[in-house]
Amino acid sequence: MKILFSTLLSLILFSTSTIAKIEIKKFKNKNIEVIKFQVPDRKLPGKDDVLAQIHFPKKTDGKVPLIIHQHGSSRDGMKFKKWGGRTDEWGKRLVKEGLKRGYAVAVIDAFYNRKLKPTNKNKFPNAVHIAIKLAKIYSQDNRIEKSQIFYTGFSYGSSQVLKFQDSRIQSQNPFRAGVAAEPGCNIVSNPARTNFATLMIKGEESHYYPVACKTYYKMIKKVGNKIEYASIPKVNHFFSLNGKIVKGKAVNGCSKNILIRYSDGSFKFQDGTPSNRRGRLKCFTEEAGGGEKNRAKLNHAINLSLNFLDKYK
């Protein structure tokens, strides 16, 4: 048996309308645990279970900082030790490099048992709430330094990181800083003042055209928030060289006129044209990142993200 140690911890958490059950399976010899918990989403009624796999450094002196990572639309990286969860390639490599620097690293599976495909973009959950709940759970863990919890995301996951610019999300924020790796920035929250520090990382040849994120970066900077922008030359959305744009599905059709959501629930395009939630559909296209997925600069992008987070440890 590869599993030398396994425990089941059930915690009953009460809220006004639900009872949530948390299950944790521990793999002591590997310093890994997998947690199953519930985060309801209006797009996915009755499918509340989500997973995360947490990796701890083997040698520690006291409490450690924690990075929580949200995968992109393709969970093409590591498989979890329990319950069949998965993360993306960014998450897989982040675990390896983060552990070297003394971080605990948690990778979320927001699609667990939800039968979502990469093309089901209009059905993706509001995963920022999964990260918030996971951070709150582990902020009570005596192994974690609760003042040093960070959030990263790739692609779809990066859009969740950028939601901490939204005043409605800021009030729930347990994170010190975050990294948005290859966000689309076509549908964004109107930025409000926050202490949450953010790094955006973009590939210059991404099919999520950098012009949209450069626009949003300037909006965030203008309100006085801590924001940095890193551009990696000659790479596509997957930080690969020699990429191509192929047929698929992407939220990149509003790159030159981004759609902004406001705290009162209203929407406007950057040029001032009023819109509504259905305006999001104008931003969907039949483009995707293709070509050789060599990820030649992915490790470089991950090092950039860890260097940024190190500044806030």
Side-chain angles (χ1 to χ4, degrees):
M1 288 284 288
K2 292 183 179 180
I3 302 173
L4 301 181
F5 181 83
S6 177
T7 65
L8 174 63
L9 174 63
S10 295
L11 303 175
I12 305 299
L13 301 179
F14 294 92
S15 68
T16 55
S17 59
T18 62
I19 298 178
K21 182 180 180 183
I22 298 175
E23 298 179 64
I24 300 176
K25 289 282 188 178
K26 295 188 177 184
F27 302 83
K28 190 174 182 181
N29 65 315
K30 296 184 180 296
N31 286 49
I32 294 172
E33 58 195 51
V34 185
I35 180 171
K36 182 191 289 187
F37 56 110
Q38 292 75 44
V39 181
D41 192 284
R42 62 180 180 79
K43 295 180 184 177
L44 301 157
K47 297 179 180 179
D48 298 348
D49 285 346
V50 291
L51 301 179
Q53 181 162 290
I54 301 89
H55 298 248
F56 289 88
K58 290 185 177 179
K59 295 181 180 180
T60 61
D61 293 319
K63 296 183 178 183
V64 297
L66 171 65
I67 301 171
I68 294 176
H69 174 70
Q70 177 55 59
H71 60 73
S73 58
S74 295
R75 297 169 297 161
D76 52 1
M78 176 175 57
K79 186 176 180 180
F80 292 3
K81 296 289 184 184
K82 182 68 179 177
W83 293 308
R86 300 195 72 96
T87 187
D88 56 15
E89 185 66 22
W90 180 288
K92 177 183 175 181
R93 298 192 192 193
L94 179 65
V95 167
K96 180 180 178 182
E97 297 304 317
L99 289 174
K100 289 179 184 177
R101 299 200 192 195
Y103 292 93
V105 183
V107 286
I108 289 171
D109 186 349
F111 293 177
Y112 171 69
N113 274 0
R114 288 172 163 176
K115 297 182 179 179
L116 293 171
K117 299 177 182 178
T119 53
N120 298 144
K121 298 187 187 301
N122 60 343
K123 296 181 180 178
F124 286 179
N126 196 7
V128 65
H129 294 294
I130 301 173
I132 290 170
K133 183 163 184 180
L134 185 65
K136 289 181 177 178
I137 291 170
Y138 277 91
S139 68
Q140 300 173 47
D141 191 302
N142 59 16
R143 297 167 292 179
I144 299 299
E145 176 51 67
K146 67 179 181 180
S147 66
Q148 295 182 14
I149 301 179
F150 305 100
Y151 191 27
T152 72
F154 169 69
S155 191
Y156 152 69
S158 67
S159 70
Q160 307 303 305
V161 175
L162 292 179
K163 286 179 181 178
F164 283 104
Q165 302 301 323
D166 192 315
S167 60
R168 295 168 295 180
I169 302 296
Q170 288 171 13
S171 62
Q172 308 169 57
N173 185 12
F175 298 104
R176 184 168 174 80
V179 177
E182 258 299 300
C185 302
N186 275 233
I187 305 168
V188 298
S189 296
N190 188 46
R193 193 73 176 89
T194 177
N195 290 324
F196 180 72
T198 309
L199 170 65
M200 281 190 202
I201 305 177
K202 288 294 296 178
E204 279 189 1
E205 297 181 5
S206 174
H207 68 290
Y208 284 100
Y209 304 109
V211 62
C213 285
K214 288 178 181 178
T215 297
Y216 195 44
Y217 164 78
K218 291 175 184 177
M219 289 174 62
I220 295 169
K221 193 84 171 172
K222 188 174 181 179
V223 300
N225 293 346
K226 298 175 184 176
I227 179 78
E228 295 182 25
Y229 185 99
S231 180
I232 302 179
K234 299 181 180 180
V235 300
N236 71 357
H237 181 62
F238 302 100
F239 302 104
S240 297
L241 299 171
N242 302 317
K244 298 178 181 178
I245 295 177
V246 298
K247 189 177 175 74
K249 196 162 189 178
V251 188
N252 64 355
C254 300
S255 296
K256 295 181 179 179
N257 190 20
I258 63 175
L259 181 60
I260 304 164
R261 54 179 170 253
Y262 292 83
S263 58
D264 63 359
S266 65
F267 289 79
K268 281 184 185 178
F269 286 96
Q270 182 193 357
D271 66 3
T273 304
S275 187
N276 53 35
R277 186 174 292 276
R278 290 188 61 80
R280 298 165 65 252
L281 299 177
K282 295 182 180 180
C283 302
F284 286 81
T285 71
E286 294 186 351
E287 294 182 346
E292 183 183 354
K293 201 179 280 190
N294 53 55
R295 295 187 169 101
K297 295 293 183 178
L298 178 54
N299 286 344
H300 173 58
I302 289 172
N303 281 329
L304 286 176
S305 70
L306 289 171
N307 290 344
F308 176 78
L309 297 181
D310 282 349
K311 295 189 295 186
Y312 295 93
K313 285 171 69 175

